[in-house]
Amino acid sequence: MIQLSIRRKIMGVALALIVLMALTSFLSMIYIMRVGAHFEELTRSYIPAYGSLARANISSLERALALRRMIIGKIQLGPGDDRTAANLEKFEAKGAAVEQNIASAHALIGALIEKGSTFGDATRLTRIDDRIEHAVDARRHLNDEIQRFLKQLDAKDSATLSDNLERVDALRDELNGKLDSVRSDMLALLRVRPRS
């Protein structure tokens, strides 16, 4: 057995430490790039999807307020009043905002699921996406009921007006509850820290 000199042993240990440091630096760089990609995905998709859901929820509530103002205006002021027309315009604008924000969130979440960059939460994102679809269906039913109600309001059919307003309120509450629930679930998903 050949004994190595102390100098060679020290050089061997130093060389081994340099190799370990290089390997550690390389692995650190890989993890930093992964975390950077996760943060980029958060800022490009997750946070904008949450923002769209939150704006859809708020616009839906504002739309409900505009509907109430429009109803009160039509009853008190009549259909030809400028304030009633302004309330109708605001009601329609808020409806378009709800639709646009829901579509935006749906597209962002769908792209995340399709791309596969879901931080391991593909199941949760798929559930959120499905619940957005259910909210869209609830919104269609609400819009149909609102159109029936507005026709009866214009025709001054007071016999069924109260019942239809209750149905509109129930459908609106259901939609707002669904939107709020989906928004809350997306926020909970954002709060979960991504794992590398």
Side-chain angles (χ1 to χ4, degrees):
M1 189 189 253
I2 302 173
Q3 287 192 356
L4 296 173
S5 70
I6 293 177
R7 183 177 183 189
R8 285 189 178 172
K9 287 181 184 177
I10 291 173
M11 289 300 284
V13 169
L15 186 61
L17 287 174
I18 290 172
V19 169
L20 284 174
M21 286 174 36
L23 183 62
T24 302
S25 296
F26 179 72
L27 290 175
S28 294
M29 289 284 286
I30 289 174
Y31 286 125
I32 287 170
M33 288 190 298
R34 278 188 188 172
V35 169
H38 285 278
F39 278 123
E40 190 173 324
E41 199 65 52
L42 277 170
T43 57
R44 285 189 179 176
S45 298
Y46 280 82
I47 293 172
Y50 170 76
S52 292
L53 289 170
R55 284 188 298 278
N57 193 7
I58 291 167
S59 294
S60 180
L61 293 170
E62 290 173 340
R63 183 176 187 243
L65 178 63
L67 176 64
R68 285 293 183 182
R69 286 182 175 165
M70 188 173 56
I71 292 168
I72 291 168
K74 280 190 176 189
I75 291 172
Q76 290 180 345
L77 305 171
D81 189 72
D82 289 340
R83 288 176 284 184
T84 304
N87 286 331
L88 176 62
E89 187 177 309
K90 188 171 185 175
F91 171 77
E92 290 172 351
K94 291 302 175 182
V98 171
E99 196 169 306
Q100 179 184 10
N101 284 310
I102 287 175
S104 174
H106 183 57
L108 286 166
I109 291 171
L112 281 170
I113 293 168
E114 187 177 306
K115 196 161 88 172
S117 59
T118 60
F119 304 141
D121 288 302
T123 306
R124 288 176 75 183
L125 274 176
T126 303
R127 271 192 231 125
I128 288 171
D129 195 45
D130 288 342
R131 291 175 59 211
I132 289 172
E133 288 286 332
H134 293 297
V136 168
D137 289 340
R139 188 171 186 285
R140 274 190 221 113
H141 293 303
L142 173 63
N143 287 341
D144 292 344
E145 197 62 40
I146 287 173
Q147 291 307 314
R148 274 194 291 274
F149 175 77
L150 290 177
K151 285 177 185 175
Q152 290 173 340
L153 185 62
D154 289 338
K156 301 203 186 277
D157 185 6
S158 58
T160 57
L161 216 54
S162 178
D163 292 337
N164 287 344
L165 183 58
E166 285 180 25
R167 279 198 301 274
V168 166
D169 286 342
L171 289 171
R172 186 196 63 241
D173 290 344
E174 178 187 346
L175 173 62
N176 289 337
K178 286 181 179 186
L179 288 174
D180 188 50
S181 176
V182 170
R183 181 200 54 78
S184 296
D185 287 349
M186 191 66 189
L187 180 61
L189 186 62
L190 277 171
R191 287 183 175 163
V192 174
R193 294 179 191 225
R195 297 179 195 135
S196 299

